[in-house]
Amino acid sequence: MANVIILPMSGWLGSYFGRKNYFLTSIIIFTIASFLCGNAHSLSELVAFRILQGIAGGGLISTAQAILLDTWPKDQVGTATALFGLGAVVGPTLGPTIGGYITDHAAWRWIFYVNLPVGALAAVLTYMFVKSTPAEGKGKPIDWWGIFLLAVSVGSLQTILEKGEDEDWFSKPYIIVLTVTAVFGLLLFIWRELTASNPIVNFQILKKRSFSAGMMTSFILGVGLYGSTFVFPVFCQSLLGFSAQQTGLVLLPGGLFTIIMMPFVGKMLNKGVPAQLMATVGLILFFVFSNMLSHSTLTVGTGDFFWPLAIRGVGLALLFVPLTTLAIGDLKGHEIGQGTGLNNMMRQLGGSFGIAGLTTLIHIRQAVHCSNLLESINQYNGFFTQRFNALTAGFMAKGKSALDAAHMAYQGIDNTVNRQGLLLTYNDAYWIVGVIMICAIPLLYLAPFKKGQKAVTDAH
């Protein structure tokens, strides 16, 4: 929640304090908060320190992106965006591998402690090499009402998405209250930012068609990226019996394909290949990945996931960099910081919507599939009778009474029905993700059709 609230403000904060100062401070606070999280002695402490970590983390991604775009030569911006994409896209892919190893071989606290050396190194390198920018916002009035309305509306929305399924959505009064708060808070926030003299979020950049199209497609990318990253590990561990480390290792090759493809994507953008065409191919590849996994069975092994995840890895490389290029293509100067913040927020919100939607889908479809399968569990079904008699005979051969054996046979069949119902449910989830991604293609062509690098060069 804290991360998503800060993201759209990151452009304004970078302008107010100076981009280098804000970025360096965010790194230091994030690193300290990681230590405090790992050292927490209660859930309340962990939640509090995670809020601090989210506040600092919200200033990292968009500010780093803006620094790159302002620093690199105009003819190399595509390459810079591709290198930046390695962290933004590959991180969530490699995270399960590292996290799985830590979970299986060390204490959970090391999930946070691993950030300490990386954060320290990042702080030193930022201090040494990132150029300072003036604090342009100093002395100007702060839009406190805008900050308040942003926190209330986005915070309420995130809470709804995170807790809605657990609370059976609108059956709980506080979910209804938060929904009303989110809707009216967002409307008031937009009105406030359009009328304020010094808004914290510059909605005027939404008038640029390239940015609006890129931002909407980034939302869809968030649904696919975070949605599939959420479903796949649960599918592997709950149904296939993989450990956390095994699941991470299965995901690793897909991340490597993304790493390999990123530089080529940057070069293609530099040579003028239109961002829309590359992103279209990326969305199609993501659909292919989802379609392949939607035909999974309970007998699939680690090797069966190699090519689907490799296709997903290539698709992500063809999506992240072109979508970023499309979104920032018409932005200039201080608009770049604002644009990267809004664009990253939409991707994060897309992930939240995707996970919430898929969680609800899994809950509903599992009940439907299990109900359909149970219709076949009756004495008139030859397959059921054969299976039931075989299980009963097997249990009786192990010394169980006829009554106990029959009861255990029914339990075994019930477990099979639940597993098969859950399998069909996850297959539905993969299919839905693929359809959503393919339906996003028309959004790409709402933007003016420009050559990839020319869009970024014009912005500079």
Side-chain angles (χ1 to χ4, degrees), residues 132-188:
S132 298
T133 57
E136 299 173 350
K138 280 290 185 181
K140 295 181 180 179
I142 299 176
D143 182 16
W144 292 110
W145 274 110
I147 295 174
F148 171 76
L149 290 170
L150 174 65
V152 168
S153 58
V154 176
S156 298
L157 178 60
Q158 277 290 104
T159 304
I160 295 166
L161 295 174
E162 293 286 346
K163 302 295 292 182
E165 173 60 25
D166 293 339
E167 302 287 7
D168 197 21
W169 294 105
F170 300 107
S171 63
K172 291 295 178 69
Y174 89 90
I175 295 292
I176 298 175
V177 172
L178 287 178
T179 302
V180 175
T181 302
V183 172
F184 283 98
L186 185 60
L187 292 174
L188 287 172

Side-chain angles (χ1 to χ4, degrees), residues 32-180:
I32 294 173
S34 296
F35 170 77
L36 294 173
C37 287
N39 200 46
H41 298 290
S42 68
L43 181 61
S44 298
E45 286 185 19
L46 182 57
V47 170
F49 296 143
R50 283 287 286 167
I51 292 173
L52 182 62
Q53 195 181 38
I55 291 172
L60 295 179
I61 296 178
S62 302
T63 309
Q65 205 169 5
I67 290 171
L68 277 175
L69 295 172
D70 277 345
T71 304
W72 277 61
K74 297 177 183 179
D75 59 344
Q76 294 295 318
V77 170
T79 303
T81 307
L83 292 174
F84 174 80
L86 289 176
V89 176
V90 178
T93 305
L94 298 185
T97 306
I98 301 172
Y101 182 85
I102 293 173
T103 301
D104 289 345
H105 295 89
W108 65 266
R109 299 179 186 276
W110 284 96
I111 296 279
F112 297 102
Y113 289 153
V114 293
N115 290 336
L116 303 185
V118 181
L121 179 61
V124 171
L125 294 178
T126 298
Y127 179 78
M128 292 174 60
F129 296 109
V130 175
K131 295 180 180 179
S132 298
T133 57
E136 299 173 350
K138 280 290 185 181
K140 295 181 180 179
I142 299 176
D143 182 16
W144 292 110
W145 274 110
I147 295 174
F148 171 76
L149 290 170
L150 174 65
V152 168
S153 58
V154 176
S156 298
L157 178 60
Q158 277 290 104
T159 304
I160 295 166
L161 295 174
E162 293 286 346
K163 302 295 292 182
E165 173 60 25
D166 293 339
E167 302 287 7
D168 197 21
W169 294 105
F170 300 107
S171 63
K172 291 295 178 69
Y174 89 90
I175 295 292
I176 298 175
V177 172
L178 287 178
T179 302
V180 175

Side-chain angles (χ1 to χ4, degrees), residues 61 129 131 135 155 158 160 207 278 365 390 413 419 446:
I61 296 178
F129 296 109
K131 295 180 180 179
Q158 277 290 104
I160 295 166
K207 294 179 179 179
M278 296 174 66
R365 294 298 294 171
I413 292 174
R419 283 170 56 81
L446 295 176

